[in-house]
Amino acid sequence: MTTIYDVAKRAGVSVATVSKVLNGYPDVSARTREKVQQITAELGYHPNAVARGLVTRRSMTVGVFFQDHGNRGFRHPFLHDVIASFKDSIGEAGYDLLFLTEHRGNDGVFRGFESRAKQRDVDGLFLLGVPRTNSGLATLSRSQIPTVSVDLDLFGPKASYLCSDNVGGARQAVDHLVANGHRKIAFIGDRFGTKPGHDRMLGYQEALQAHALEYRPEWILEGDFGETSGYRAMRRLLAEAELPTAVFCASDMMAIGAMNAISEAGLHVGEQISIVGFDDIELARYVSPGLTTIRQNTDKMGQRAATELLELMNTTNKPPGVITVETSLVVRGTVRNIA
Amino acid sequence: MTTIYDVAKRAGVSVATVSKVLNGYPDVSARTREKVQQITAELGYHPNAVARGLVTRRSMTVGVFFQDHGNRGFRHPFLHDVIASFKDSIGEAGYDLLFLTEHRGNDGVFRGFESRAKQRDVDGLFLLGVPRTNSGLATLSRSQIPTVSVDLDLFGPKASYLCSDNVGGARQAVDHLVANGHRKIAFIGDRFGTKPGHDRMLGYQEALQAHALEYRPEWILEGDFGETSGYRAMRRLLAEAELPTAVFCASDMMAIGAMNAISEAGLHVGEQISIVGFDDIELARYVSPGLTTIRQNTDKMGQRAATELLELMNTTNKPPGVITVETSLVVRGTVRNIA
DNA sequence: CTGAAAGCGCTAACAT
DNA sequence: ATGTTAGCGCTTTCAG
């Protein structure tokens, strides 16, 4: 391995000088600078960011914890999109992403978020799909590690979080239904009490009130955001004495499951029963009829997360905050106008 | 920040001793060991992997370069699945994943694969979705950095690669069509000459020969693996004087595009024209009719990639190799039996 | 069984 | 403008 000493010797200067040209310091003569640069290229020398980080105390690395409820690791499309956008933005600033896992070290000791972050010396943390129940969260929120999490209300001296405007999004969904003449609207939500699930439920209820619609406990179902749970919830709903004319689902996958249950029952989505989903995943365009849904702006979420984390890491006394990103209604074919 | 010195002082021993208990060396008395462990816990001390890596020359980190042709970064579902599986396997061995980007440093110098890898001191590299034309590939293949790439025939002293059995998979596709009575079979391939595209074309041709089917240049179309390109190719095909009874597409997304073109022309997929795709992405189950396709075993691909890289990194003189993972036929609704 | 000391590759005072 | 040197937090001979 070529080190800064090799370059220094070959160029006939000291390591300090080499370091200075490498880091673009001005107090180096043009002659020396050129000489060093030439040797650097000649030797194919690459400064070692790890050693540099050890002394500067900045690794230019942000740690990512990415889980999803199904324990499917990398496979959640919505969060993927957020990460992709986050990576682009934070990459611009020179940071690389280190994907971390909580685990038991070879000493048998369990290492959670904070421990892993310190171990790897990351400058900040980005959390996605982490359930509220995770035991490492409390310690993390109290720590001084700059952190931003999405869809999880983790708040602390250096911890901001970011969500879509889930309350508003849910209202958009119900409003759209009402605008199309629906007054009997069911809801398939989440049984885990995630922040988004909770807020979408809230928005649903607010909208019911705003439109003076009847609140019917038997029309409130619970799932886990996955297709099967939406299917099951819809089956239960279809067994009720009185059926709603529309159902708002807290995720697209649940909406798709619900659509299957409806077809299976010999009914037609968008005819007897209207459906609105949430997320606007890629699939929503491909099912038939196309799913009307509330779109989460993943690009913007990633960007906002990146700028927030950058500030948390690089601005002293930057107060943490909560960031909300607007949603938008995407009309496709699952809502019928019955006015 | 708590360091090993803090622990040593508090425990009344030397740093060497602390280091030994941290790394589970046997030559420490039970008494000292316990004392140290207790202090470690008390202080909430986390050994710094970066400093450790600097001296041991192993960072326990593997670098990932993940691109896709559409420059959509994290958004390619097939490669996602491979990474997820890879991460699980390599994580077991204690490695974390560092997502790297080629970029221009603040000195204005472009840093490619090798440069970034050395800079970040990774122990190995995993490449996905990197086009053959990337200029950094030649240098990398000559380097001593353990590398495994998927769907890219990068081979070198420490570089293995891994693909599905694309030739065999393509043959499975054509065989299935022939078994259903088809003898006029078109092909929508790839215009970039990627390794998978090339091999699927090869398998198609081999199968034609094996079944003594006619090779018709006007029935060979080219796309870019994306939906739109499949749509366009199908439109061109539909304009031909004589139509095939089936078309084999080198990707599911192209197959889906082709299906749209067929519907739009007033024909029915699985009736007048049969379709077979390649990949078995999630969407394949949801389009209507369900897409018959060749499944790539992403779980196995990730696992094999991980074990190969582990060997390359940890076994001296491990010769590089090329790894092939079998595909399988998934029958859904897009092929009609016309025998 | 334990500790002193050298050094991994680099940066940052501080001299010169 | 350039060089000397002391670390960053850790592991690893090598003595004792």
Side-chain angles (χ1 to χ4, degrees):
Chain A
M1 165 171 269
T2 336
T3 76
I4 199 172
Y5 282 92
D6 301 325
V7 178
K9 187 185 295 176
R10 182 88 160 255
V13 297
S14 76
V15 293
T17 303
V18 177
S19 176
K20 280 170 188 165
V21 353
L22 255 26
N23 292 289
Y25 283 59
D27 56 342
V28 183
S29 74
R31 225 171 128 350
T32 333
R33 180 180 305 280
E34 273 169 41
K35 180 73 179 167
V36 169
Q37 281 167 340
Q38 182 204 321
I39 303 290
T40 299
E42 215 170 289
L43 261 40
Y45 165 75
H46 310 284
N48 182 320
V50 169
R52 173 181 292 169
L54 193 59
V55 18
T56 59
R57 305 279 41 186
R58 340 192 76 249
S59 62
M60 295 306 281
T61 264
V62 345
V64 177
F65 285 99
F66 178 23
Q67 304 169 359
D68 67 21
H69 301 122
N71 222 354
R72 290 168 302 153
F74 267 82
R75 283 158 194 142
H76 191 130
F78 163 71
L79 295 178
H80 272 308
D81 288 351
V82 177
I83 294 182
S85 157
F86 176 80
K87 181 185 187 232
D88 290 345
S89 295
I90 206 119
E92 295 278 307
Y95 289 84
D96 290 309
L97 259 38
L98 185 61
F99 279 74
L100 265 18
T101 331
E102 303 176 278
H103 65 212
R104 202 163 299 288
N106 40 8
D107 52 357
V109 177
F110 182 79
R111 311 200 167 285
F113 301 124
E114 194 195 16
S115 174
R116 298 283 356 256
K118 291 195 172 164
Q119 190 187 5
R120 283 299 192 179
D121 219 26
V122 300
D123 296 337
L125 240 31
F126 189 43
L127 266 55
L128 304 90
V130 174
R132 255 178 181 165
T133 52
N134 189 301
S135 60
L137 253 21
T139 337
L140 180 59
S141 71
R142 271 183 252 109
S143 87
Q144 290 297 323
I145 303 172
T147 301
V148 0
S149 34
V150 353
D151 281 359
L152 170 70
D153 42 343
L154 184 74
F155 197 80
K158 288 283 183 184
S160 298
Y161 69 89
L162 168 146
C163 288
S164 278
D165 177 9
N166 289 301
V167 179
R171 266 191 320 236
Q172 285 179 301
V174 176
D175 288 352
H176 177 65
L177 255 6
V178 170
N180 280 276
H182 295 271
R183 302 194 59 81
K184 298 176 174 183
I185 303 172
F187 176 64
I188 301 180
D190 122 73
R191 83 167 66 93
F192 298 123
T194 62
K195 176 75 177 157
H198 174 263
D199 286 354
R200 288 169 203 174
M201 173 68 165
L202 215 64
Y204 165 75
Q205 290 175 324
E206 283 184 17
L208 286 197
Q209 285 211 330
H211 295 289
L213 305 184
E214 199 182 352
Y215 177 86
R216 298 249 212 140
E218 71 273 23
W219 285 355
I220 313 289
L221 292 292
E222 286 179 341
D224 61 7
F225 291 116
E227 183 181 0
T228 311
S229 76
Y231 173 84
R232 296 219 180 97
M234 193 68 214
R235 297 255 303 189
R236 266 177 281 136
L237 189 56
L238 289 169
E240 287 296 324
E242 190 182 359
L243 257 41
T245 63
V247 9
F248 165 47
C249 302
S251 82
D252 283 351
M253 285 314 290
M254 292 200 294
I256 288 166
M259 288 170 71
N260 289 147
I262 292 170
S263 305
E264 224 179 83
L267 303 174
H268 291 278
V269 176
E271 303 279 321
Q272 293 93 335
I273 299 193
S274 292
I275 298 273
V276 179
F278 206 109
D279 285 344
D280 194 29
I281 59 177
E282 194 185 15
L283 245 180
R285 280 170 46 221
Y286 290 91
V287 289
S288 156
L291 179 62
T292 291
T293 189
I294 303 300
R295 173 163 161 63
Q296 299 203 62
N297 193 335
T298 52
D299 276 356
K300 191 156 181 187
M301 291 176 83
Q303 288 159 216
R304 297 291 308 269
T307 56
E308 178 72 14
L309 187 55
L310 250 14
E311 281 191 57
L312 247 19
M313 294 189 300
N314 300 322
T315 313
T316 42
N317 296 327
K318 154 73 170 98
V322 2
I323 298 165
T324 302
V325 176
E326 341 56 89
T327 56
S328 51
L329 173 71
V330 179
V331 177
R332 296 201 180 90
T334 49
V335 174
R336 178 178 165 207
N337 191 322
I338 61 171
Chain B
M1 166 174 269
T2 335
T3 76
I4 199 171
Y5 282 91
D6 302 324
V7 178
K9 187 186 295 177
R10 182 90 159 254
V13 297
S14 75
V15 293
T17 304
V18 176
S19 176
K20 279 170 188 164
V21 353
L22 255 27
N23 292 289
Y25 282 58
D27 57 343
V28 182
S29 74
R31 227 173 126 353
T32 330
R33 179 180 305 280
E34 273 168 40
K35 180 73 180 166
V36 169
Q37 280 166 340
Q38 182 204 322
I39 304 291
T40 299
E42 216 170 288
L43 260 40
Y45 166 74
H46 310 284
N48 181 318
V50 169
R52 174 181 290 169
L54 192 59
V55 19
T56 58
R57 306 280 38 184
R58 340 191 74 248
S59 62
M60 294 306 281
T61 266
V62 344
V64 178
F65 285 100
F66 178 23
Q67 304 169 358
D68 66 21
H69 301 123
N71 224 355
R72 290 168 302 153
F74 269 82
R75 284 157 193 143
H76 191 129
F78 164 70
L79 294 178
H80 271 309
D81 288 351
V82 177
I83 294 182
S85 158
F86 177 80
K87 181 184 187 237
D88 289 345
S89 295
I90 207 118
E92 295 277 307
Y95 289 85
D96 289 309
L97 259 38
L98 185 61
F99 279 74
L100 266 18
T101 331
E102 304 177 277
H103 65 213
R104 202 163 300 288
N106 40 9
D107 51 357
V109 177
F110 182 79
R111 311 200 166 284
F113 301 124
E114 193 195 17
S115 175
R116 299 285 353 257
K118 290 195 172 163
Q119 191 187 4
R120 283 300 191 180
D121 219 27
V122 300
D123 295 336
L125 238 32
F126 189 42
L127 266 55
L128 304 91
V130 175
R132 256 178 181 165
T133 52
N134 189 300
S135 60
L137 253 20
T139 338
L140 180 59
S141 71
R142 272 183 250 110
S143 87
Q144 289 298 323
I145 304 172
T147 301
V148 359
S149 35
V150 353
D151 281 358
L152 169 72
D153 42 344
L154 183 75
F155 197 81
K158 287 283 183 183
S160 299
Y161 69 88
L162 169 145
C163 288
S164 279
D165 176 10
N166 289 301
V167 178
R171 267 191 319 238
Q172 286 179 301
V174 176
D175 288 352
H176 177 64
L177 254 7
V178 170
N180 281 276
H182 295 271
R183 302 194 58 81
K184 298 176 173 182
I185 303 171
F187 176 64
I188 301 181
D190 125 70
R191 84 166 65 94
F192 297 124
T194 63
K195 176 74 177 158
H198 175 262
D199 286 355
R200 288 168 204 173
M201 173 67 165
L202 215 65
Y204 166 74
Q205 290 175 325
E206 284 185 16
L208 286 196
Q209 286 211 328
H211 295 291
L213 303 185
E214 200 182 350
Y215 178 86
R216 297 250 212 138
E218 71 272 24
W219 285 356
I220 312 288
L221 291 294
E222 285 180 342
D224 61 8
F225 290 116
E227 182 180 1
T228 311
S229 76
Y231 173 84
R232 295 220 179 99
M234 193 67 214
R235 298 254 304 189
R236 266 177 281 136
L237 189 56
L238 289 169
E240 287 296 324
E242 190 182 359
L243 256 40
T245 63
V247 9
F248 166 46
C249 301
S251 83
D252 283 350
M253 284 315 290
M254 292 199 295
I256 288 167
M259 287 170 71
N260 289 147
I262 292 170
S263 305
E264 225 178 81
L267 303 175
H268 290 280
V269 177
E271 303 279 321
Q272 293 93 334
I273 299 192
S274 292
I275 298 273
V276 179
F278 207 109
D279 285 344
D280 194 29
I281 60 177
E282 195 185 16
L283 245 180
R285 281 169 47 220
Y286 290 91
V287 290
S288 157
L291 178 62
T292 291
T293 189
I294 304 299
R295 173 163 162 62
Q296 299 204 61
N297 193 334
T298 51
D299 276 356
K300 191 157 181 186
M301 291 176 84
Q303 287 160 217
R304 296 291 307 271
T307 57
E308 178 71 13
L309 188 54
L310 250 13
E311 282 192 56
L312 247 19
M313 294 188 299
N314 300 322
T315 314
T316 42
N317 296 328
K318 154 71 169 100
V322 1
I323 298 166
T324 302
V325 177
E326 338 60 86
T327 56
S328 51
L329 173 71
V330 179
V331 177
R332 295 201 180 90
T334 49
V335 173
R336 177 179 165 207
N337 190 322
I338 60 170

